[in-house]
């Protein structure tokens, strides 16, 4: 998804902007660009593809300046071409834009623009044209930005350079922007990760705020143009998350980070000595609530599917789940005695955010489970449960998924605790999850072997029953996403209702089969596959392996689990298989084609 970096510095800003753009690569993009203002002249470079191409272009043909804005573009209006790349420069104004201007065609008429000046297919260039035009009418750039903002329908964050001014100007609505403050420079970015390392404090801009940023100071104004103050937050160093260290890819690093994350989450929210779960600042009485509604997208939605199994097993609540892009556009009969939970790694996913707004319009109490604190979703919800996984750079969600599961499991135990019926054995088992995961990671070679055996498969099936069904869906999503191989996740009981017709020896079936109450059933499903010439790989535990050995071509034995720990522990094999297969096939593991990390458009 598009990213913005702007730096106002006492020194040259170009290196810092390029570094910021590199940090935003994880969001997904297809082209990038930069513009500086030097001696009241604009200089600009744009490039299709990786940031390294933009950097090389700048090395060959240097540009410099103390004021600069940069952009990574993820195409929405128009293809990834140089013409459509930001920044857009029009006489006295250069701008970068994130978001979607819904009324961009009307704006051409409203501001009587000369259409022959519009060279790109984007919605953004029109705003640069309007800005330049209004700069001739108004003395003050703030008044220009106010006027633009008042006329736009849609979502935006903008950073502008304006000739004759030594400030960067920025504004936002529905798309995030954060200011970075430090001694010799100030900056702006769409994401904390895009800010320079020397940043000391940060300020999140609120809806419709307008900011001016120069090397020694920043000012913020509201839509009326009145000066306002916003809260400063300490900037937490992000250097550690930005390097791969000993790992080949961020995804690998993030998979291996899971024992630490999970231990951190459990120890932050649960106390083994007193058998209790502490949700920070929680004042919700779940005894007064009969329904829980969960919505999310993609991997986060799979976490919600698992939560439905868990919460209905652990509590007396009725739990409903929806894909956010579906929920937001349908009629929903909402029982007022419900609580709404949205789950999102980035906290910026547009469809999830829109569901949150819908819940609020229906006066429901809203909880968000997010990894990025201070994200739009976090700031809009009544109560925030952080997933504490740290920045996730790889586009494919890994540690954020297991972190979401851990938090949802803790939520289930917390609801039990409020009824004085917390399941102590299950609660205690959370404290050893990180050890089980360490064991799996120690032996990660086994998954490389499985990946080799899948290399030539025409298509792959993951099957599971109960809680393992959403894990099968997540396994298929991970494989598709980073290996570009077709894979289906299926509820094992559904095989005979259609997909068995596809089974042949080129289509391996991976069964997720802990020895729980569903085990004998899934063993029958595996036999159905083998009877039709299909190959089977079984992922199970020690007890399961004794019974399953004779029914499979390959077997992976995992530590023992219960209904709460199984989802987290069985997530590791699906991540590792996808990762090793992607490495083997030579795909772009951390930035798979066509995908973005933070999906801030519909
Ligand atoms: C898959 C993946 C996506 C996200 C989805 C929601 O690996 O990462 O499916 O889970 O785009 O994103 P968030 O969680 O940021 O709302």
């Amino acid at each position: 998804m598009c990213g913005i970096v702007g730096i106002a510095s006492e020194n040259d800003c170009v290196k810092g902007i390029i570094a910021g753009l590199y940090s935003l690569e994880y969001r997904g993009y297809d082209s990038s660009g930069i513009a500086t203002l030097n001696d009241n002249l604009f200089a600009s470079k744009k490039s299709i593809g990786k940031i390294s191409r933009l950097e090389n272009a700048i090395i060959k043909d240097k540009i410099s300046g103390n004021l600069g804005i940069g952009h990574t573009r993820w195409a929405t209006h128009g293809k990834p071409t140089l013409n459509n790349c930001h920044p857009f420069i029009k006489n006295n104004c250069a701008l970068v834009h994130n978001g979607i201007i819904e009324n961009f065609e009307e704006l051409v008429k409203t501001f009587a623009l000369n259409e022959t000046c519009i060279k790109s297919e984007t919605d953004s260039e029109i705003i640069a044209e309007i800005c330049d035009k209004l700069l001739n009418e108004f003395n003050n750039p703030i008044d220009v930005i106010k006027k633009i903002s008042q006329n736009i329908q849609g979502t935006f964050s903008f950073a502008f350079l304006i000739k004759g001014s030594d400030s960067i100007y920025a504004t936002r609505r529905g798309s995030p922007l954060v200011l970075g403050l430090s001694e010799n420079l100030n900056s702006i970015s769409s994401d904390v990760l895009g800010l320079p390392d020397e940043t000391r404090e940060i300020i999140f801009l609120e809806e419709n705020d307008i900011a001016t940023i120069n090397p020694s100071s920043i000012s913020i104004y509201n839509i009326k143009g009145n000066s306002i103050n916003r809260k400063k937050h300490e900037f937490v160093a992000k250097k550690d998350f930005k390097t791969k260290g000993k790992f080949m890819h961020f995804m690998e690093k993030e998979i291996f980070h899971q024992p630490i994350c999970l231990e951190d989450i459990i120890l932050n929210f649960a106390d083994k000595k007193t058998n209790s779960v502490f949700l920070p600042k929680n004042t919700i009485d779940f005894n007064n609530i009969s329904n829980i509604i969960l919505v999310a997208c993609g991997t986060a939605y799979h976490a919600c599917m698992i939560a439905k199994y868990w919460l209905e097993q652990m509590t007396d609540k009725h739990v409903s789940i929806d894909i956010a892009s579906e929920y937001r556009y349908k009629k929903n009969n909402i029982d007022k005695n419900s609580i709404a939970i949205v789950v999102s790694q980035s906290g910026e996913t547009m469809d999830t955010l829109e569901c949150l707004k819908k819940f609020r319009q229906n006066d429901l109490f809203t909880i968000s489970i997010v990894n990025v604190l201070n994200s739009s979703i976090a700031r809009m919800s009544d109560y925030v449960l952080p997933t504490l996984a740290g920045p996730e750079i790889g586009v494919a969600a890994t540690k954020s998924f297991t972190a979401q599961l851990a938090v949802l499991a803790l939520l289930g135990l917390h609801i039990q605790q409020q009824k004085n019926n917390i399941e102590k054995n299950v609660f205690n088992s959370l404290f050893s999850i990180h050890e089980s995961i360490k064991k799996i990671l120690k032996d990660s070679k086994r998954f490389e072997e499985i990946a080799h055996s899948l290399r030539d498969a025409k298509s792959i099936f993951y099957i599971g029953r109960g809680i393992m069904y959403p894990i099968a869906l997540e396994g298929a999503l991970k494989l598709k996403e980073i290996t570009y191989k077709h894979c289906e996740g299926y509820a094992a009981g559904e095989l005979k209702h259609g997909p068995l017709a596809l089974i042949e020896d080129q289509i391996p079936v991976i069964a997720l089969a802990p020895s729980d109450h569903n085990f004998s059933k899934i063993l029958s499903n595996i036999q159905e596959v083998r009877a039709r010439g299909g190959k089977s790989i079984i992922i199970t535990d020690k007890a399961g392996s004794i019974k399953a050995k004779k029914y499979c071509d390959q077997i992976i034995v995992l530590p023992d689990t219960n209904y709460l720990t199984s989802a987290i522990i069985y997530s590791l094999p699906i991540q590792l298989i996808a990762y090793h297969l992607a490495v083997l096939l030579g795909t772009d593991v951390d930035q798979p084609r066509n995908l973005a990390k933070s999906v801030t458009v519909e």
Side-chain angles (χ1 to χ4, degrees):
M1 207 72 8
C2 302
I4 288 177
V5 181
I7 296 181
S9 171
E10 283 167 11
N11 303 307
D12 189 60
C13 65
V14 173
K15 238 180 163 176
I17 293 177
I18 294 289
L21 294 179
Y22 270 121
S23 301
L24 298 184
E25 274 195 306
Y26 78 97
R27 295 160 68 99
Y29 67 104
D30 38 48
S31 52
S32 59
I34 179 168
T36 58
L37 183 58
N38 200 11
D39 290 336
N40 218 27
L41 288 175
F42 289 129
S44 172
K45 280 274 175 294
K46 299 179 182 189
S47 172
I48 309 297
K50 297 280 173 189
I51 307 290
S52 52
R53 291 181 66 178
L54 179 71
E55 190 179 21
N56 286 338
I58 292 170
I59 292 170
K60 265 197 202 138
D61 182 14
K62 201 167 176 270
I63 62 168
S64 57
N66 295 6
L67 281 189
I69 51 177
H71 190 257
T72 50
R73 175 169 186 260
W74 190 73
T76 53
H77 291 69
K79 292 201 172 97
T81 60
L82 281 182
N83 241 2
N84 292 335
C85 243
H86 304 212
F88 289 102
I89 300 180
K90 301 283 169 172
N91 301 320
N92 291 316
C93 149
L95 75 72
V96 289
H97 165 226
N98 285 2
I100 293 180
I101 315 285
E102 285 162 9
N103 60 337
F104 74 102
E105 278 162 343
E106 287 160 40
L107 289 176
V108 174
K109 291 191 194 96
T110 313
F111 288 93
L113 300 183
N114 178 354
E115 284 189 55
T116 58
C117 297
I118 312 292
K119 305 279 185 246
S120 75
E121 302 160 275
T122 67
D123 48 347
S124 316
E125 187 187 0
I126 282 155
I127 306 300
E129 199 62 42
I130 297 172
C131 179
D132 184 52
K133 190 165 186 188
L134 293 178
L135 281 168
N136 295 324
E137 289 174 31
F138 296 90
N139 288 332
N140 183 351
I142 300 281
D143 291 334
V144 171
I145 293 170
K146 263 166 49 186
K147 180 92 179 167
I148 292 174
S149 171
Q150 282 157 359
N151 280 279
I152 290 180
Q153 279 163 25
T155 57
F156 57 81
S157 49
F158 290 112
F160 301 86
L161 294 176
I162 290 177
K163 277 191 188 168
S165 166
D166 61 356
S167 298
I168 298 172
Y169 294 82
T171 188
R172 58 149 295 199
R173 187 188 303 150
S175 178
L177 274 181
V178 57
L179 295 176
L181 316 182
S182 62
E183 248 163 54
N184 301 322
L185 64 81
N186 291 311
S187 56
I188 183 118
S189 180
S190 45
D191 186 321
V192 176
L193 282 179
L195 297 173
D197 284 340
E198 48 267 67
T199 303
R200 295 271 172 273
E201 289 175 312
I202 54 174
I203 296 175
F204 291 95
L205 291 185
E206 303 271 327
E207 293 286 85
N208 298 312
D209 282 357
I210 301 171
T212 63
I213 304 122
N214 64 45
S216 54
S217 65
I218 59 112
S219 312
I220 307 175
Y221 305 89
N222 62 16
I223 189 85
K224 292 185 186 141
N226 301 327
S227 175
I228 44 171
N229 286 320
R230 295 279 177 226
K231 199 173 163 199
K232 291 181 183 162
H233 302 263
E234 194 190 337
F235 180 66
V236 180
K238 57 189 166 47
K239 285 186 203 128
D240 287 354
F241 291 105
K242 282 165 66 183
T243 57
K244 291 181 203 147
K246 61 179 183 178
F247 297 98
M248 253 167 63
H249 299 99
F250 282 110
M251 182 179 178
E252 187 189 19
K253 184 181 174 192
E254 286 154 7
I255 291 174
F256 276 78
H257 190 205
Q258 289 174 108
I260 298 172
C261 292
L262 289 163
E263 190 177 15
D264 192 33
I265 296 163
I266 308 294
L267 293 180
N268 261 289
F269 296 145
D271 181 14
K272 200 171 182 182
K273 266 197 207 131
T274 54
N275 276 317
S276 45
V277 177
F278 296 108
L279 300 186
K281 296 183 197 155
N282 174 42
T283 51
I284 312 159
D285 184 356
F286 283 92
N287 288 330
N288 290 331
I289 286 151
S290 45
N291 303 298
I292 299 176
I293 309 167
L294 289 140
V295 299
C297 300
T299 291
Y301 173 69
H302 295 151
C304 295
M305 286 180 81
I306 292 161
K308 178 172 164 70
Y309 282 94
W310 281 345
L311 295 176
E312 290 199 332
Q313 156 114 13
M314 298 168 88
T315 72
D316 56 0
K317 314 290 175 216
H318 172 258
V319 183
S320 66
I321 51 171
D322 266 292
I323 294 170
S325 56
E326 291 297 318
Y327 189 89
R328 65 179 282 201
Y329 291 116
K330 68 183 177 76
K331 175 174 176 273
N332 304 295
N333 298 328
I334 299 177
D335 183 321
K336 290 287 174 205
N337 199 10
S338 306
I339 203 161
I341 305 180
V342 297
V343 183
S344 172
Q345 186 287 128
S346 62
E348 300 295 345
T349 302
M350 178 62 79
D351 287 320
T352 312
L353 186 64
E354 288 303 318
C355 291
L356 182 58
K357 288 182 191 162
K358 198 167 177 181
F359 291 134
R360 292 180 70 83
Q361 280 154 10
N362 280 283
D363 294 326
L364 287 197
F365 188 88
T366 54
I367 300 179
S368 63
I369 297 181
V370 290
N371 198 35
V372 182
L373 281 175
N374 288 308
S375 56
S376 305
I377 287 178
R379 279 179 284 139
M380 196 184 281
S381 29
D382 295 306
Y383 179 65
V384 182
L385 268 173
T387 47
L388 307 179
E392 190 176 62
I393 311 289
V395 164
T398 51
K399 62 175 181 172
S400 65
F401 176 59
T402 49
Q404 284 162 355
L405 291 178
V407 169
L408 286 160
L410 285 158
L411 180 68
L413 288 163
H414 178 78
I415 298 173
Q416 286 190 331
Q417 182 174 288
Q418 287 193 340
K419 274 212 146 189
N420 294 321
N421 64 358
I422 194 161
E423 287 172 273
K424 288 204 177 105
N425 293 345
V426 177
F427 173 83
N428 282 332
S429 67
L430 294 183
F431 292 86
S432 54
I433 288 182
H434 65 285
E435 292 299 344
S436 300
I437 292 183
K438 273 188 203 160
K439 271 190 207 144
I440 298 172
L441 290 173
K442 238 187 192 162
D443 214 1
S444 88
K445 274 263 171 263
R446 287 184 301 169
F447 301 98
E448 245 179 280
E449 287 159 24
I450 302 277
H452 270 280
S453 73
L454 298 174
R455 190 187 180 133
D456 299 320
K458 260 201 327 216
S459 174
I460 299 164
F461 271 86
Y462 266 110
I463 57 167
R465 279 176 174 261
I467 286 161
M468 288 297 123
Y469 164 46
I471 299 290
L473 292 178
E474 174 61 8
L477 175 63
K478 279 302 81 98
L479 260 175
K480 280 188 272 229
E481 195 177 11
I482 62 164
T483 71
Y484 315 151
K485 223 180 227 308
H486 179 250
C487 184
E488 294 257 9
Y490 249 90
E494 280 287 294
L495 274 186
K496 60 171 86 63
H497 299 289
L500 262 189
L502 289 174
I503 297 301
E504 47 152 290
D505 64 350
Q506 289 301 304
I507 303 189
V509 177
I510 308 174
L512 299 162
S515 56
D516 58 13
H517 64 287
N518 279 314
F519 185 72
S520 59
K521 302 273 177 219
I522 197 161
L523 220 50
S524 307
N525 299 130
I526 295 162
Q527 288 174 60
E528 287 161 12
V529 167
R530 289 170 66 82
R532 282 144 188 97
K535 291 216 169 68
S536 62
I537 300 167
I538 300 187
I539 303 179
T540 181
D541 47 36
K542 201 165 167 217
S545 71
I546 296 166
K547 293 184 190 149
K549 240 184 338 214
K550 56 177 183 255
Y551 302 118
C552 61
D553 298 282
Q554 284 162 289
I555 195 159
I556 295 272
V557 183
L558 298 185
D560 289 346
T561 55
N562 58 37
Y563 78 90
L564 214 55
T565 58
S566 60
I568 299 176
I569 288 172
Y570 279 66
S571 295
L572 267 289
I574 59 152
Q575 295 170 355
L576 287 163
I577 290 171
Y579 173 72
H580 287 299
L581 188 53
V583 171
L584 213 60
L585 296 173
T587 55
D588 191 343
V589 173
D590 285 332
Q591 289 156 25
R593 67 186 182 203
N594 307 337
L595 297 180
K597 182 72 182 163
S598 170
V599 186
T600 50
V601 291
E602 287 193 58

